[in-house]
Amino acid sequence: MRAAFVTVLVTLLSVTLAPVATASATCTDTLSCTAEEINSMSMPQRLTFVRQLSSGPAAELLPGNPNRWRNIEGIIEFFHDQGLGAPGSWVSYVDSGILEGMERGLAIALGRGEDTFGNPGSRLWASYLTRLRDGLLTSRSAHDLAWSQAEQASTEHGVALAEQVHGLTATPAEERFYQFSDFYRWTLRNRPAILDFTPQIGPNATFLDWFTDVTNDVPTRRGAHAAYSMSEFDLPAGTFATLALCRAYATALLADYLADA
């Protein structure tokens, strides 16, 4: 009886978990999944997809330096935390536009086709990745400018896909949250170049350095929770989320201090 129960449980788990690996692995292998196909993925599947892009094709292109989308992982983790982004929703299509642009940018940069899938972010991601590979984005300000331009174009394509193609609209809270994301990308594009020439205590020397680090998922996940709480005008939740964000930064500073010591 016990053996039969274990067999049934293993079977159910296999059926439940298989789509997560299969959907993301297929897209990672082919680099040809459209935004519509990505839209059908759950947030855990998308998280797996982004991580597989980094550990697979991006590692091939950028050996030793592939994790350029950890901040996007943080946003996907936040969507999952909040139950946002179900397939067919406004959030889902916007996110799908971003991931499609990243995927096709990788494909173009690797010489695996030139099709952008109509996503203007694709070539910008390809340019970013090849310039990064060729050592042309050594300053943080130049890097963040190129990264944010690519994500901005992909994001706007996702918005057009949601609103113009599928007739979807954001909720008021989602629209306000989107404005926060626009400000985040604006901050990356307008990083003061002087910061590249000031003495650095560590990678998290300033809150700006830490919060806009694309190789770290913690700031965006924590920051998104704070921004969404504010977007909902939920003061208690916003206060708690902001404190959690500050605590995460303090932990990063402590790590820098201990490393220097």
Side-chain angles (χ1 to χ4, degrees):
M1 183 68 178
R2 181 178 298 173
F5 173 76
V6 171
T7 300
V8 171
L9 179 60
V10 170
T11 301
L12 288 173
L13 286 173
S14 298
V15 170
T16 301
L17 297 177
V20 175
T22 301
S24 58
T26 299
C27 293
T28 306
D29 290 340
T30 65
L31 297 180
S32 63
C33 286
T34 65
E36 290 293 344
E37 291 172 304
I38 296 170
N39 166 65
S40 68
M41 293 184 188
S42 66
M43 286 300 158
Q45 287 174 321
R46 297 181 203 203
L47 184 60
T48 299
F49 175 43
V50 174
R51 289 173 175 172
Q52 289 175 336
L53 286 179
S54 295
S55 63
E60 178 185 345
L61 184 70
L62 304 167
N65 191 28
N67 295 313
R68 314 313 298 180
W69 297 305
R70 291 298 312 280
N71 58 342
I72 291 177
E73 290 181 31
I75 292 297
I76 295 173
E77 290 165 341
F78 156 74
F79 286 149
H80 181 60
D81 293 343
Q82 291 289 129
L84 295 169
S89 66
W90 184 87
V91 168
S92 175
Y93 274 112
V94 175
D95 183 66
S96 297
I98 297 171
L99 301 191
E100 179 191 63
M102 291 160 45
E103 173 200 62
R104 291 309 302 164
L106 257 178
I108 294 168
L110 286 166
R112 293 168 58 176
E114 293 292 325
D115 194 343
T116 66
F117 288 9
N119 191 322
S122 299
R123 291 205 181 280
L124 290 174
W125 279 121
S127 173
Y128 161 76
L129 291 165
T130 53
R131 290 164 66 197
L132 189 64
R133 177 199 62 194
D134 297 340
L136 301 177
L137 297 176
T138 54
S139 72
R140 178 71 181 268
S141 56
H143 170 277
D144 288 3
L145 173 62
W147 192 101
S148 63
Q149 288 174 332
E151 203 211 15
Q152 186 71 46
S154 300
T155 303
E156 290 175 356
H157 178 72
V159 172
L161 187 63
E163 298 181 354
Q164 298 174 22
V165 176
H166 292 282
L168 300 168
T169 56
T171 66
E174 289 169 352
E175 179 60 35
R176 287 188 288 268
F177 179 77
Y178 179 78
Q179 299 305 318
F180 276 108
S181 77
D182 259 351
F183 179 71
Y184 175 83
R185 288 183 290 273
W186 180 89
T187 301
L188 265 72
R189 287 195 298 276
N190 292 277
R191 174 186 170 85
I194 188 64
L195 292 179
D196 295 335
F197 301 99
T198 55
Q200 295 291 296
I201 301 170
N204 306 305
T206 68
F207 181 82
L208 180 65
D209 289 324
W210 177 76
F211 190 68
T212 58
D213 180 3
V214 302
T215 68
N216 188 353
D217 67 325
V218 175
T220 48
R221 186 176 189 176
R222 295 296 185 192
H225 275 288
Y228 195 73
S229 296
M230 295 176 196
S231 298
E232 291 188 305
F233 304 118
D234 188 339
L235 182 59
T239 301
F240 179 80
T242 300
L243 290 174
L245 176 67
C246 293
R247 179 181 179 183
Y249 177 52
T251 300
L253 282 180
L254 178 61
D256 282 356
Y257 173 79
L258 292 176
D260 286 342

